[in-house]
């Protein structure tokens, strides 16, 4: 995300009625907290919350988009190469299978669930490391 | 009895249901959105499943996600609480199809009694007086025709509305279409159903409702409530029993309830709502679910209504076959809306959240918690119980004086004003009293 875009976003957020918000755009997490004192200009602190590891190793986590049961058509192995758009897993919900695709290419780093596990919304499934 | 119950709700009512489950030795499963990750009800539950993002549409109204949470945790029943999917016949049916008991009436009864256009038709067929109104409005021409026929002021109501949502008053034909669109939008987003009907607005009426529990062999009446103190059609103070009723009036009221439900084979908890206008009852609507204000009836009847509802769903014996009433109970709903700024929904962190001691408080919040803009405004229900109404009023006045909330605005001033008002103390109020009282006191403060 460009600095210019970030400024635009903050201007927009400042006009809205909330005290604290967490946003995730592309791979950037933004945490904005407004000050409570209405007499002074509202305090806005910005803290990119991508974890240290994610920033340095360019790793990101694929999370479950829904409650369901996770299925891997073929077992995933650490170090296995994936391209952007590849189906990495499927989540079964109400007997329907929903593809989970990787938003970018890289190497599978850490598969955190097993075939047949029940998963909740937002649960980390696996992480993808940049292929160097 | 059930082994594990999934609670398809949040906040204070999820806390209430979890407690009832634990008292019945049932494992409680909470489902929650990402906005409620830190909420008390999630911590109190034995198991919990995140079902979606903050928006209710994708979490607490997401039928598939909730059912999958039930399947994954092996729940054998689903308690829907109030609001959200509690009167969704499709969801009730889906629960049964997934092998989980729906803690509520069967889908066909939700269809008949929860849908307001259907229930009005059935009530009329069974000889209950109903408020003059229209059938389902399906076109703009029909809207104007029906409204002109009924006269103004008129109420626009969503067929699946409730809790102050999906209801607006129009004073003239000029206002009609704009209000129609607002109600339609609210109905679509909150109840997943946009059907709307019209109803005549009564100036001077009291809202009286009857709490029932249908059993296989009979319909138990658990008491009545007066819920006339409302703002924007949303109840804020309720009393049990309705002290305004005379003995013959109460007999007439219960007779009407039996007339409506005796042949319906209604086997669950429900509330039948009436307007009382000049000693005449008009059927208003029925709620086929647990209600926010069930707590005051628990106080005067001594029945744990949530436990009784769960037992009835499990076809277990209730352990009692009749109900007696004693004393008087009052509930005040403390909401996250600032009575100094026209009741705008206030969100943010509860820096201080001090509730009165020695009285019943039902809440899902504590100091340090955040109130998010995604769901309802209810912060806490303050419930008092005393041998008579006068003592209950004094207890409520004392209880309200102990409330302290900092961080977000509340309607505490409004509650205090109403409870101290002559109209309330002398039991001489109607469904428009709260609005009038607040207007009067605002004028006084300008003078």
């Amino acid at each position: 995300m460009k600095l210019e875009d970030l400024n635009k976003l903050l201007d927009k957020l400042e006009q809205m009625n909330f005290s604290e918000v967490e946003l995730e755009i592309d791979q950037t997490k933004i945490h904005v907290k407004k000050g409570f004192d209405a007499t002074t200009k509202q305090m806005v602190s910005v803290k990119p919350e991508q974890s240290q590891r994610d920033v340095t190793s360019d790793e990101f986590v694929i999370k479950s988009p829904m409650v369901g049961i996770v299925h891997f058509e073929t077992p995933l192995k650490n170090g296995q190469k994936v391209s952007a758009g590849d189906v990495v897993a499927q989540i079964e919900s109400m007997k329907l299978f929903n593809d989970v695709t990787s938003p970018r290419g890289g190497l599978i780093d850490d598969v955190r669930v097993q075939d047949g596990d029940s998963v909740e919304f937002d649960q980390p499934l696996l992480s993808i490391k940049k292929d160097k | 009895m059930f082994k594990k119950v999934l609670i398809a709700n949040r906040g204070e009512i999820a806390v209430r249901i979890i407690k009832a489950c634990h008292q019945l030795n049932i494992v409680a499963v909470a489902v929650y959105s990402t906005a409620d990750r830190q909420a008390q009800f999630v911590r109190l539950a034995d198991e919990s499943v995140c079902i979606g993002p903050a928006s209710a549409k994708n979490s607490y109204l997401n039928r598939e996600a909730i059912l999958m949470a039930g399947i994954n945790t092996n729940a054998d029943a689903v308690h829907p609480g109030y609001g959200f999917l509690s009167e969704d016949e499709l969801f009730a049916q889906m629960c049964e199809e997934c092998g989980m008991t729906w803690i509520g009436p069967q889908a066909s009864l939700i269809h008949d009694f929860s849908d307001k256009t259907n229930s009005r038709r059935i009530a009329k067929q069974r000889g209950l007086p109903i408020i003059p109104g229209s059938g389902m409005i399906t076109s703009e021409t029909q809207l104007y025709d029906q409204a002109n026929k009924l006269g103004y002021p008129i109420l626009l109501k969503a067929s699946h509305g409730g809790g102050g949502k999906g209801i607006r008053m129009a004073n003239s034909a000029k206002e009609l279409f704009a209000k129609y669109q607002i109600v339609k939008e609210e109905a679509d987003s909150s109840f997943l159903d946009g059907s709307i009907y019209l109803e005549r607005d009564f100036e001077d009426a009291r809202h009286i409702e009857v709490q029932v529990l249908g059993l296989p062999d009979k319909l138990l009446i658990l008491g009545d409530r007066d819920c006339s103190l409302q703002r924007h059609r949303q109840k804020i103070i309720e009393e049990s029993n309705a002290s305004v009723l005379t003995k013959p009036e109460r007999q007439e009221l219960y007779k009407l309830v039996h007339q409506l439900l005796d042949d319906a084979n209604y086997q669950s908890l429900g509330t039948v709502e009436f307007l009382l206008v000049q000693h005449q009852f008009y059927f208003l609507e029925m709620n086929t679910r647990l209600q926010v204000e069930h707590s005051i009836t628990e106080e005067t009847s001594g029945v744990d209504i949530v436990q009784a509802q769960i037992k009835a769903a499990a076809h277990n014996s209730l352990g009692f076959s009749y109900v007696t009433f004693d004393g008087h109970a009052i509930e005040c709903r403390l909401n996250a809306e600032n009575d100094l700024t026209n009741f705008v929904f206030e969100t943010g962190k509860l820096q201080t959240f001090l509730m009165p001691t020695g009285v019943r408080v039902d809440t899902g919040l504590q100091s340090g918690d955040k109130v998010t803009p995604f769901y309802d405004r209810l912060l806490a229900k303050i419930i008092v119980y005393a041998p008579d109404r006068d003592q209950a009023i004094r207890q409520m006045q004392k209880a309200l004086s102990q409330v302290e909330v900092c961080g977000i605005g509340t309607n505490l001033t409004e509650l205090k004003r109403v409870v101290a008002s002559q109209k309330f103390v002398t039991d001489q109020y109607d469904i428009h009293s709260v609005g009038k009282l607040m207007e009067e006191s605002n004028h006084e403060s300008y003078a």
Side-chain angles (χ1 to χ4, degrees), chain B residues 6-281:
Chain B
L6 179 140
I7 296 139
N9 217 297
R10 60 179 301 283
E12 72 89 16
I13 201 62
V15 171
R16 172 74 192 87
I17 299 164
I18 291 167
K19 280 183 185 159
C21 285
H22 286 168
Q23 280 159 344
L24 293 168
N25 289 316
I26 298 170
V27 176
V29 181
V31 293
Y32 63 95
S33 75
T34 51
D36 281 336
R37 226 179 257 285
Q38 310 298 330
Q40 196 179 50
F41 75 92
V42 180
R43 290 197 306 271
L44 285 175
D46 305 292
E47 295 173 36
S48 60
V49 180
C50 182
I51 48 167
S55 81
K57 202 166 186 171
N58 294 313
S59 51
Y60 299 104
L61 289 170
N62 186 340
R63 301 182 186 102
E64 289 78 8
I66 297 169
L67 290 170
M68 278 313 290
I71 291 166
N72 283 352
T73 54
N74 263 321
D76 48 14
V78 174
H79 195 307
Y82 54 67
F84 296 126
L85 295 169
S86 63
E87 291 178 287
D88 186 287
E89 54 179 285
L90 176 60
F91 184 59
Q93 207 178 325
M94 287 166 88
C95 286
E96 298 288 350
E97 280 164 11
C98 290
M100 292 179 275
T101 304
W102 167 254
I103 302 179
Q106 62 250 55
S108 63
L109 288 170
I110 297 177
H111 174 85
D112 286 349
F113 289 101
S114 177
D115 182 299
K116 295 178 193 9
T117 40
N118 289 347
S119 69
R120 278 169 57 87
R121 187 174 39 77
I122 292 170
K124 201 174 171 182
Q125 277 167 7
R126 299 195 176 162
L128 275 74
I130 60 166
I131 294 167
S134 73
M136 205 112 77
I137 299 292
T138 49
S139 71
E140 211 179 311
T141 353
Q142 200 193 2
L143 171 72
Y144 285 103
D145 282 352
Q146 294 286 335
N148 288 338
K149 219 181 270 173
L150 290 163
Y152 296 92
I154 202 163
L155 293 175
L156 295 110
K157 291 178 133 186
S159 215
H160 286 271
K165 271 187 189 165
I167 180 163
R168 285 289 187 285
M169 188 188 63
N171 279 308
S172 64
K174 252 187 206 166
E175 289 180 8
L176 194 62
F177 194 63
K179 296 281 169 78
Y180 175 70
Q181 282 178 313
I182 293 170
V183 174
K184 202 156 175 53
E185 206 168 282
E186 274 184 6
D188 275 330
S189 65
S190 301
F191 315 109
L192 307 172
D193 180 339
S195 48
I196 285 167
Y197 67 100
L198 300 174
E199 210 173 75
R200 209 179 105 191
D201 191 24
F202 281 109
E203 274 299 304
D204 162 25
R206 283 178 87 128
H207 175 116
I208 307 285
E209 59 186 36
V210 181
Q211 177 78 66
V212 300
L213 179 63
L215 300 172
D217 55 334
K218 66 172 165 190
L219 185 79
L220 265 185
I221 290 189
L222 299 182
D224 48 73
R225 295 185 283 260
D226 191 323
C227 310
S228 306
L229 292 167
Q230 311 181 355
R231 185 174 23 74
H232 299 153
R233 308 279 157 187
Q234 189 156 19
K235 298 165 188 167
I236 56 165
I237 300 175
E238 299 103 335
E239 301 193 69
S240 166
N241 283 335
S243 46
V244 74
L245 297 180
T246 62
K247 206 174 165 188
E249 278 175 340
R250 179 163 286 123
Q251 279 173 348
E252 165 70 11
L253 177 67
Y254 292 1
K255 197 194 93 198
L256 291 172
V257 171
H258 279 292
Q259 210 169 307
L260 178 72
L261 294 173
D262 271 354
D263 296 328
N265 194 24
Y266 187 84
Q267 290 184 34
S268 190
L269 196 66
T271 303
V272 189
E273 300 189 335
F274 294 87
L275 278 189
L276 177 62
V277 189
Q278 287 159 5
H279 305 286
Q280 161 87 47
F281 291 106

Side-chain angles (χ1 to χ4, degrees), chain A residues 17-20 36 67-69 92-94 118-122, chain B residues 34 37 49-53 64-65 67-69 72 98 351 370:
Chain A
N17 178 29
F18 65 87
S19 60
E20 206 167 348
F36 271 107
V67 186
I69 297 158
E92 179 192 345
S93 168
M94 304 305 287
S118 54
V119 290
E120 57 183 3
F121 174 78
D122 225 21
Chain B
T34 51
R37 226 179 257 285
V49 180
C50 182
I51 48 167
E64 289 78 8
L67 290 170
M68 278 313 290
N72 283 352
C98 290
Q351 282 153 335
K370 277 176 204 148

Side-chain angles (χ1 to χ4, degrees), chain B residues 390-411:
Chain B
D390 288 344
Q391 290 181 62
I393 292 172
R394 281 198 293 279
Q395 254 198 50
M396 183 55 87
Q397 288 167 342
K398 192 177 151 215
L400 291 177
S401 72
Q402 293 174 348
V403 173
E404 198 188 331
V405 180
C406 298
I408 60 174
T410 72
N411 64 333

Side-chain angles (χ1 to χ4, degrees), chain B residues 333-381:
Chain B
R333 298 192 194 186
L334 186 68
N335 288 334
E337 49 197 5
N338 199 334
D339 42 22
L340 303 172
T341 55
N342 208 19
F343 300 97
V344 177
F345 187 5
E346 295 227 347
T347 60
K349 192 173 170 182
L350 289 167
Q351 282 153 335
T352 310
F353 191 65
L354 285 179
M355 290 295 111
T357 50
V359 299
R360 176 172 169 182
V361 177
D362 284 12
T363 182
L365 295 163
Q366 58 191 37
S367 289
D369 281 353
K370 277 176 204 148
V371 177
T372 60
F374 308 107
Y375 318 111
D376 67 36
R377 305 166 173 212
L378 184 63
L379 295 174
K381 303 188 306 204

